Amino acid sequence: ENLSFGENLIENGNFVDGTNWKQYENGSNVGNDLFDGTNTNTLDGSGSIKFTKGDGVHKLHSSKIKIQNDKEYTIGFYMKSEGNPLPNLLFQATHYDKDENYIKNDWHSHRWGNSKANTWEEVFIKIKALPTTEYFILKIQNYDNVEGVDNNIWLDDFYIKLEQLKEDIIPKESFT
């Protein structure tokens, strides 16, 4: 199957009526508890995922995303944080083969945040699928153990597209 450039491969990346993504808090599956229907990047009223300050480690896992192997993808999302100091987020794309066997993880860890508090900003990451990669599962989590970080974080409008950026775009380089 050939995918068109720019097509979002993530099902319900904008969390309309909640989410089918797995949500965890301190290692426990919390159902849809991280869903925040009152806060969204777009005016569609879809809601977002909220990592609440002071509540420990939050994790969000997508369902399997079918991709074309040996291609480069742009993976992105929008985030909003309450300000400084910046939250530390770990973003991971896990590669699986056609039989859904684990291949490897692509890790990206950054002190991501916004250039302006309480403002939605876009984050992009490039991931290259291996010749044997047939699926990705996306995972993102916060770390609550960074001294002085006590900010709520919202995540919304996740996407993965078959296309290429010149470089990763990470808001907040000026804040670090």
Side-chain angles (χ1 to χ4, degrees):
E1 173 186 3
N2 287 327
L3 304 168
S4 62
F5 285 88
E7 176 187 353
N8 186 2
L9 306 178
I10 295 179
E11 181 181 337
N12 198 21
N14 59 348
F15 308 119
V16 174
D17 297 323
T19 178
N20 57 344
W21 293 45
K22 293 179 182 171
Q23 302 170 40
Y24 300 92
E25 187 171 274
N26 297 319
S28 297
N29 188 321
V30 293
N32 211 24
D33 287 354
L34 303 180
F35 176 70
D36 181 353
T38 65
N39 209 325
T40 184
N41 171 52
T42 58
L43 298 178
D44 64 2
S46 57
S48 61
I49 295 297
K50 181 180 181 183
F51 289 171
T52 307
K53 62 184 175 184
D55 280 349
V57 176
H58 299 86
K59 295 180 182 179
L60 184 64
H61 296 194
S62 75
S63 55
K64 286 183 305 189
I65 301 162
K66 177 75 172 129
I67 54 97
Q68 290 180 35
N69 55 17
D70 208 24
K71 303 280 185 189
E72 190 160 283
Y73 290 86
T74 300
I75 300 174
F77 58 93
Y78 288 80
M79 72 170 291
K80 176 171 86 166
S81 60
E82 292 179 320
N84 278 319
L86 302 179
N88 193 20
L89 295 178
L90 175 66
F91 182 86
Q92 170 186 331
T94 303
H95 298 244
Y96 293 89
D97 67 16
K98 65 181 170 85
D99 297 320
E100 301 182 21
N101 295 310
Y102 166 84
I103 300 172
K104 75 170 216 160
N105 289 320
D106 273 322
W107 298 89
H108 298 267
S109 181
H110 297 283
R111 299 279 313 262
W112 282 326
N114 301 92
S115 58
K116 183 177 179 184
N118 295 309
T119 302
W120 287 101
E121 291 181 341
E122 191 171 15
V123 176
F124 298 96
I125 300 164
K126 292 182 298 185
I127 301 287
K128 170 83 171 172
L130 301 172
T132 56
T133 302
E134 296 285 330
Y135 300 96
F136 285 140
I137 291 181
L138 305 181
K139 301 174 183 178
I140 189 164
Q141 72 182 54
N142 73 318
Y143 289 102
D144 227 23
N145 60 353
V146 178
E147 188 172 333
V149 174
D150 197 21
N151 299 317
N152 290 323
I153 306 164
W154 290 267
L155 309 170
D156 200 5
D157 294 334
F158 281 79
Y159 62 87
I160 179 170
K161 297 179 180 182
L162 178 62
E163 59 187 3
Q164 183 174 352
L165 289 177
K166 292 180 181 169
E167 58 187 83
D168 292 350
I169 300 172
I170 299 166
K172 301 277 23 65
E173 291 299 334
S174 61
F175 264 22
T176 57

